[in-house]
C-alpha cells in the first residue's frame, strides 16, 4: 500500500489535482482511497457526482454509534472517498480534528477493510499546526508532494511545507516526493518553481497546464478524466500519475 | 449533565493507571504535563511511594512550550535523566495539553530511543479516561515488547494479570493471591505487576494459562493469547468462588479456550443485590458471597466482561437510577450518598475510587471471610 500526501497553498488546486490523479490511478487498475483532510470536506466532490458523504467528524459529533461504511462513499471507478471534516467553523481545533478523524479511520480498520493500493491525503493549505502534519507522520504517508504555481505566495507556502518536512527528518516522517507545478501562467513560472525544487534538493515531477476544461468539468461535478477523457488536460493528469508512480518506485 | 459527578468522585485516571502498572518494573515513566492534576500520581495516587522508589517523572510542560509545540525540552530532559539512571525502558505518557496539541509521541519516542539506545514507547493516554484503559495498555505493551518466545510451556504454571494497588490496595494482597493460587496446585510464573521484575515477566510466555484478576490485565492476556496461544481465565479466586476459577484454569489448559466463569455464574438480576466497581473483582466478590446479584461497572474497556448481570453504568445519575431498588450494595464507602434510603452498604474500599481515604480499613480481598460478609448482607 502506497500512501501519498498532497500539500500546497489554499486554492492552489490540490483537491482538483488529487481527484484527477485518483481517477488516473484507478484507470490503471489500482484500488484508490482519497481522504480529504480539510474541514471544508470538499476534496472528493468530483468523485462522488454530488452524492452526499458525511464527514468522519460529523459522525463523531453526532455521538451516535456508527461504523466504517458510514464514513465512506464509493465514488467513480470504485474510488473510496473519505472526508475528515472539522469542528464548527470558528470554534474547536481543526488540526486536532484531523488527528481524531485519521485515528478513527485507522481504529475502524479502513485500510485493512478496503485494502487500497494507493491512499491519497488531500491536506488543507499550509502546515499551520501539529494536526495538519498528521498525514505526513509515521504510519501515514510515505511521500509528500507539494503543489505550487509560480505565484510568490504559492512558492512561499510550498517552501514552508518543505521546510517542515526537513525539520522532522529525525522523526521518521514522510519524505518529500517532489513539487507539482499547477500553472497560473505567471512570469518566469518554470524557473521559479525549478529554483524552489533545487533549494530542497528535489525536483518538479510534473507541470499541469492552466486549462478551462478544469472549471468546465467542475461545473459538471466531475473530474476532467471523467468529463473529458480524451482531452490534453486529462492526458496531463495521467502523465502526473505516471510520474508519481515512477517517483514512488525510486524512493 | 447526566454524566457528570456531583456527589461521588470519579475513578483514578488513565495516566495514573499506566504509572501504577509500571511502577515496579524498573522503567522510567515520564508524564508530559505541567505538573497539574494529571500528574497527581506522584503526589496522591500511589501508596507504594512510602516503601519503594520508582522512576516516575513529570516533564513540567511550560505554557510557552505548549503553544509553540516545542518538544525539545521533553526530549532533552528525558534523554538526560535516562542516561544517568539507566532505566530498563522509557515510557512516555500523554496528558490533556499535549493531547490536544497533537504532540507526536511516537516520533518523540523514536528520537529518544535513538539517542539513549533504551527501548522507548508511548502509552496513548490523555487524562480523560479511567485507570483501566491506562493500566491495561501499559501491561499490554510489556507483553508485546518484553516477553520472549518460550521454548515450551510449563504445565500447571500461571501468570497473574492485572494486579496493582488500584484494585488490590491492602498490604499483602498480591502475596495472598499468589499463595491462594499456589495452594491450589498451580505454580505462579509471574505477577503483572507486583512483586516481580521485568526479567521474570519476560518469561511469561512459558505459562500454561493466564489468570486475569482485574480488567487491567485483559489487554495483556489478549496479547499473550495472540503471541503464544496461551488461554486466559477472567476471574478472581476469592473465597468459595476460587474452586470455580481453578476449575476454569484447568479447563482452559486442557481445551485451549478462554474461560469466563463469572459470565456463566451470575444469573439473577432482580435480587436487589448490587456490587459496584471493577467487574472481575466485584463479580468474584458476589460469587464468593454466594449471592445472586448485579455488578455495576463504571469503568471503560470492560465491554467483553459485561452481560445481563454485569452492566455498564455511566455517570452518577445513571448509577442512582439503577440502584433505586437496591437492598444491599457492596461498594466503596463513598457510594453511600447515592444509595436509596434503607439500602444496606457493605463497605469494600477501592483505592482507584476513594484513594487513601479508607486506607486504614482497606480489606485484603483474598482473606475476607465471605460467609461472614454474606451474613452481614442478610436481609
Ligand atoms: N490546472 C488548472 N486549470 C484551471 N483551473 C484550475 C486548475 N487547477 C485547479 N483549478 C481551479 O482552481 C480552483 C481551486 O482548486 P481546488 O479547490 O482544487 O484547490 P485546493 O488547493 O484544493 O483549495 P483549498 O486549499 O481551498 O482546499 C478550482 O476552481 C479549480 O477548478
Ligand atoms: Mg481542497
Amino acid at each position: 500500500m502506497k500512501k501519498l500526501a498532497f500539500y500546497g497553498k489554499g486554492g492552489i488546486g490540490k483537491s482538483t489535482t488529487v481527484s484527477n490523479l485518483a481517477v488516473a490511478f484507478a484507470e490503471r487498475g489500482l484500488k484508490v482511497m482519497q481522504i480529504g483532510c480539510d474541514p471544508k470536506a470538499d476534496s472528493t466532490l468530483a468523485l462522488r457526482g454530488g452524492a452526499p458523504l458525511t464527514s468522519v467528524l460529523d459522525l463523531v459529533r453526532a455521538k451516535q454509534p456508527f461504523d466504517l461504511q458510514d464514513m465512506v462513499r464509493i465514488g467513480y471507478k470504485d474510488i473510496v472517498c473519505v472526508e475528515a471534516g472539522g469542528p464548527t467553523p470558528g470554534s474547536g481545533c481543526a488540526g486536532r480534528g484531523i488527528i481524531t478523524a485519521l485515528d478513527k479511520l485507522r481504529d475502524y480498520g479502513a485500510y485493512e477493510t478496503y485494502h487500497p493500493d494507493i491512499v491519497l491525503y488531500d491536506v488543507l493549505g499550509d502546515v499551520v499546526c501539529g494536526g495538519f502534519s498528521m498525514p505526513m507522520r509515521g504510519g501515514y504517508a510515505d511521500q509528500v508532494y507539494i503543489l505550487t504555481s509560480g505565484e510568490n505566495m504559492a512558492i512561499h507556502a510550498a517552501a514552508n511545507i518543505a521546510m517542515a518536512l526537513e525539520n522532522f527528518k529525525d522523526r521518521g516522517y514522510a519524505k518529500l516526493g517532489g513539487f507539482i507545478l499547477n500553472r497560473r501562467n505567471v512570469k518566469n513560472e518554470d524557473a521559479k518553481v525549478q529554483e524552489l525544487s533545487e533549494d530542497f534538493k528535489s525536483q518538479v515531477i510534473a507541470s499541469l497546464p492552466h486549462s478551462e476544461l478544469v472549471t468546465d468539468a467542475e461545473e459538471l461535478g466531475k473530474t476532467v478524466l471523467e468529463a473529458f477523457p480524451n482531452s490534453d488536460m486529462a492526458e496531463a493528469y495521467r502523465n502526473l500519475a505516471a510520474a508519481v508512480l515512477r517517483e514512488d518506485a525510486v524512493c | 449533565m447526566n454524566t457528570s459527578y456531583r456527589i461521588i468522585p470519579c475513578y483514578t485516571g488513565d495516566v495514573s493507571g499506566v504509572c501504577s502498572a509500571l511502577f515496579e518494573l524498573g522503567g522510567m515513566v515520564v508524564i508530559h504535563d505541567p505538573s497539574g492534576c494529571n500528574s497527581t500520581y506522584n503526589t496522591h495516587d500511589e501508596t507504594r511511594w512510602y516503601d519503594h522508589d520508582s522512576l516516575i517523572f513529570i516533564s513540567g510542560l511550560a505554557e510557552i512550550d505548549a503553544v509553540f509545540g516545542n518538544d525539545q525540552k521533553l526530549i532533552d530532559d528525558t534523554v538526560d535523566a535516562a542516561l544517568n539512571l539507566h532505566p530498563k525502558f522509557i515510557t512516555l505518557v500523554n496528558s490533556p495539553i499535549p493531547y490536544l496539541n497533537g504532540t507526536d509521541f511516537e516520533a518523540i519516542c523514536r528520537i529518544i530511543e535513538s539517542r539513549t539506545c533504551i527501548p522507548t514507547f508511548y502509552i496513548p493516554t490523555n487524562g480523560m479516561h479511567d485507570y483501566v484503559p491506562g493500566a491495561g495498555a501499559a501491561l499490554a505493551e510489556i507483553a508485546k515488547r518484553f516477553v520472549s518466545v518460550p521454548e515450551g510451556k510449563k504445565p500447571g504454571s500461571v501468570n497473574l494479570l492485572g494486579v496493582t494497588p488500584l484494585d488490590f490496595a491492602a498490604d499483602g494482597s498480591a502475596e495472598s493471591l499468589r499463595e491462594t493460587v499456589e495452594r491450589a496446585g498451580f505454580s505462579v510464573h509471574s505477577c503483572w505487576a507486583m512483586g516481580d521484575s521485568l526479567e521474570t515477566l519476560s518469561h511469561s510466555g512459558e505459562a500454561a494459562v493466564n489468570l486475569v484478576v482485574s480488567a487491567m490485565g485483559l489487554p495483556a492476556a489478549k496479547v499473550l493469547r495472540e503471541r503464544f496461544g496461551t488461554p486466559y481465565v477472567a476471574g478472581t479466586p476469592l473465597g468459595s468462588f476460587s474452586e470455580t476459577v481453578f476449575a476454569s484454569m484447568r479447563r482452559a489448559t486442557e481445551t485451549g479456550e478462554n474461560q469466563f466463569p463469572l459470565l456463566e455464574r451470575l444469573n439473577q438480576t432482580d435480587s436487589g443485590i448490587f456490587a459496584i466497581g471493577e467487574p472481575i473483582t466485584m463479580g468474584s466478590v458476589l460469587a464468593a458471597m454466594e449471592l445472586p446479584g448485579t455488578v455495576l461497572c463504571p469503568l471503560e474497556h470492560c465491554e467483553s466482561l459485561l452481560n445481563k448481570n454485569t452492566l455498564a453504568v455511566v455517570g452518577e445519575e445513571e448509577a442512582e437510577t439503577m440502584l433505586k431498588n437496591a437492598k444491599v450494595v457492596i461498594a466503596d464507602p463513598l457510594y453511600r450518598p447515592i444509595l436509596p434510603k434503607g439500602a444496606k452498604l457493605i463497605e469494600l474500599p477501592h483505592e482507584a475510587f476513594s484513594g487513601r481515604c479508607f486506607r486504614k480499613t482497606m480489606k485484603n480481598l483474598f482473606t475476607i471471610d465471605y460467609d461472614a460478609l454474606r451474613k452481614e448482607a442478610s436481609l
Side-chain angles (χ1 to χ4, degrees):
Chain A
M1 191 191 318
K2 304 268 177 225
K3 293 175 167 182
L4 314 171
F6 295 81
Y7 284 82
K9 182 188 169 322
I12 195 65
K14 296 178 295 293
S15 302
T16 311
T17 308
V18 173
S19 302
N20 278 289
L21 201 53
V23 177
F25 287 135
E27 283 181 354
R28 289 167 164 257
L30 297 168
K31 177 99 186 145
V32 185
M33 179 178 221
Q34 178 167 329
I35 303 174
C37 302
D38 182 333
K40 289 197 300 299
D42 62 352
S43 172
T44 59
L45 268 178
L47 297 172
R48 291 184 266 126
L53 168 57
T54 312
S55 74
V56 178
L57 291 183
D58 278 347
L59 289 166
V60 173
R61 189 185 353 236
K63 293 191 176 161
Q64 297 295 323
F66 59 89
D67 43 44
L68 180 57
Q69 281 73 17
D70 301 324
M71 302 187 215
V72 161
R73 163 77 61 175
I74 306 297
Y76 183 63
K77 288 211 174 282
D78 289 340
I79 294 166
V80 182
C81 302
V82 179
E83 297 285 356
T88 314
S91 60
C93 176
R96 176 63 233 179
I98 299 290
I99 299 178
T100 301
L102 292 183
D103 281 349
K104 285 275 177 272
L105 268 183
R106 193 197 45 207
D107 296 348
Y108 280 70
Y111 303 105
E112 293 84 355
T113 307
Y114 292 101
H115 238 296
D117 300 306
I118 296 201
V119 183
L120 305 171
Y121 298 96
D122 169 13
V123 195
L124 163 153
D126 309 62
V127 191
V128 285
C129 70
F132 292 98
S133 75
M134 185 72 174
M136 59 168 84
R137 291 185 180 179
Y140 289 93
D142 320 298
Q143 310 278 329
V144 168
Y145 292 94
I146 304 174
L147 274 90
T148 183
S149 69
E151 291 162 304
N152 289 343
M153 303 265 272
I155 292 200
H156 187 68
N160 279 339
I161 297 157
M163 190 71 80
L165 274 172
E166 210 162 276
N167 289 341
F168 291 142
K169 242 191 348 263
D170 54 354
R171 294 189 164 206
Y173 282 16
K175 303 219 163 36
L176 178 58
F179 294 88
I180 298 167
L181 168 55
N182 196 23
R183 288 186 195 284
R184 283 290 155 87
N185 298 335
V186 298
K187 248 194 197 160
N188 298 329
E189 192 157 49
D190 286 77
K192 283 163 87 176
V193 176
Q194 184 61 34
E195 187 186 331
L196 168 73
S197 73
E198 281 163 15
D199 285 351
F200 289 96
K201 300 189 174 50
S202 182
Q203 47 183 324
V204 183
I205 64 152
S207 309
L208 299 166
H210 191 82
S211 162
E212 275 184 10
L213 286 185
V214 176
T215 10
D216 292 349
E218 193 173 84
E219 300 268 301
L220 297 170
K222 292 178 176 169
T223 56
V224 175
L225 270 81
E226 183 183 4
F228 311 108
N230 301 317
S231 61
D232 289 349
M233 193 61 202
E235 214 40 41
Y237 285 124
R238 290 191 190 102
N239 289 338
L240 171 62
V244 167
L245 289 180
R246 243 189 339 266
E247 233 7 79
D248 205 61
V250 173
C251 298
Chain B
M1 288 295 280
N2 60 358
T3 55
S4 63
Y5 289 79
R6 297 172 302 134
I7 305 165
I8 55 173
C10 54
Y11 281 83
T12 298
D14 52 5
V15 171
S16 296
V18 175
C19 300
S20 180
L22 301 180
F23 189 87
E24 300 188 15
L25 299 181
M28 172 175 145
V29 180
V30 182
I31 307 169
H32 194 28
D33 187 70
S35 190
C37 46
N38 262 285
S39 27
T40 50
Y41 182 80
N42 279 8
T43 46
H44 293 73
D45 293 350
E46 181 54 73
T47 46
R48 283 171 292 184
W49 284 127
Y50 296 115
D51 324 297
H52 290 277
D53 258 347
S54 184
L55 303 176
I56 295 175
F57 297 93
I58 301 160
S59 67
L61 173 64
E63 183 177 337
I64 208 73
D65 290 328
V67 171
F68 284 98
N70 176 15
D71 305 326
Q72 206 52 46
K73 185 172 180 296
L74 168 68
I75 296 171
D76 292 343
D77 289 356
T78 305
V79 169
D80 248 25
L83 292 178
N84 281 313
L85 299 166
H86 313 290
K88 296 205 170 69
F89 57 85
I90 300 167
T91 306
L92 299 187
V93 184
N94 207 343
S95 73
I97 295 170
Y99 172 76
L100 286 171
N101 255 347
T103 301
D104 191 350
F105 280 86
E106 307 279 359
I108 293 172
C109 284
R110 206 184 143 102
I111 296 171
I112 293 172
E113 185 166 283
S114 76
R115 282 176 57 185
T116 57
C117 297
I118 297 170
T120 305
F121 55 90
Y122 163 55
I123 303 295
T125 52
N126 60 14
M128 298 184 209
H129 298 277
D130 65 53
Y131 69 105
V132 171
L139 294 178
E141 206 58 33
I142 297 292
K144 276 183 216 157
R145 287 173 176 268
F146 296 101
V147 179
S148 47
V149 180
E151 278 174 17
K153 299 258 185 225
K154 291 205 175 123
S157 63
V158 54
N159 302 308
L160 310 172
L161 306 182
V163 188
T164 95
L166 290 172
D167 285 338
F168 302 96
D171 292 334
S173 294
E175 291 79 357
S176 307
L177 165 61
R178 203 179 274 263
E179 283 160 22
T180 307
V181 173
E182 300 213 312
R183 225 180 296 125
F186 294 93
S187 78
V188 172
H189 204 282
S190 70
C191 175
W192 295 52
M194 287 180 82
D196 276 329
S197 65
L198 185 64
E199 163 68 15
T200 306
L201 265 53
S202 75
H203 300 295
S204 296
E206 292 166 12
V209 60
N210 288 318
L211 181 60
V212 180
V213 294
S214 93
M216 292 185 285
L218 200 54
K222 288 179 179 165
V223 172
L224 296 171
R225 167 87 184 171
E226 201 174 303
R227 289 194 60 201
F228 313 118
T230 321
Y232 61 86
V233 175
T236 322
L238 303 178
S240 60
F241 182 56
S242 304
E243 280 318 314
T244 312
V245 172
F246 298 140
S248 296
M249 285 164 67
R250 286 183 208 103
R251 196 172 322 129
T253 323
E254 282 156 22
T255 62
E257 301 286 327
N258 302 330
Q259 304 291 322
F260 298 88
L262 280 171
L263 299 188
E264 291 152 28
R265 182 178 171 104
L266 306 168
N267 54 8
Q268 246 177 299
T269 37
D270 46 8
S271 60
I273 301 171
F274 291 86
I276 314 174
E278 190 286 314
I280 298 181
T281 47
M282 293 317 282
S284 302
V285 164
L286 272 184
M289 290 170 77
E290 295 173 21
L291 286 176
T294 306
V295 175
L296 298 187
C297 169
L299 299 165
E300 296 165 277
H301 286 202
C302 292
E303 294 75 10
S304 63
L305 301 168
L306 304 176
N307 69 352
K308 65 184 197 311
N309 305 301
T310 307
L311 307 174
V313 52
V314 181
E316 189 179 283
E317 253 180 55
E318 191 171 284
E320 244 177 315
T321 312
M322 291 170 99
L323 288 166
K324 70 178 189 297
N325 297 320
K327 298 191 191 79
V328 176
V329 178
I330 302 138
D332 186 278
L334 290 186
Y335 271 104
R336 188 182 296 280
I338 67 160
L339 300 189
K341 265 208 188 77
K344 182 183 266 180
L345 175 68
I346 310 265
E347 297 190 354
L348 224 47
H350 184 191
E351 183 159 306
F353 187 67
S354 56
R356 284 176 291 184
C357 289
F358 306 101
R359 181 103 194 113
K360 290 203 183 75
T361 53
M362 196 63 83
K363 294 187 183 103
N364 181 338
L365 293 179
F366 301 98
T367 55
I368 289 178
D369 178 350
Y370 287 97
D371 289 333
L373 212 58
R374 183 181 54 247
K375 282 178 198 128
E376 197 185 325
S378 70
L379 311 167

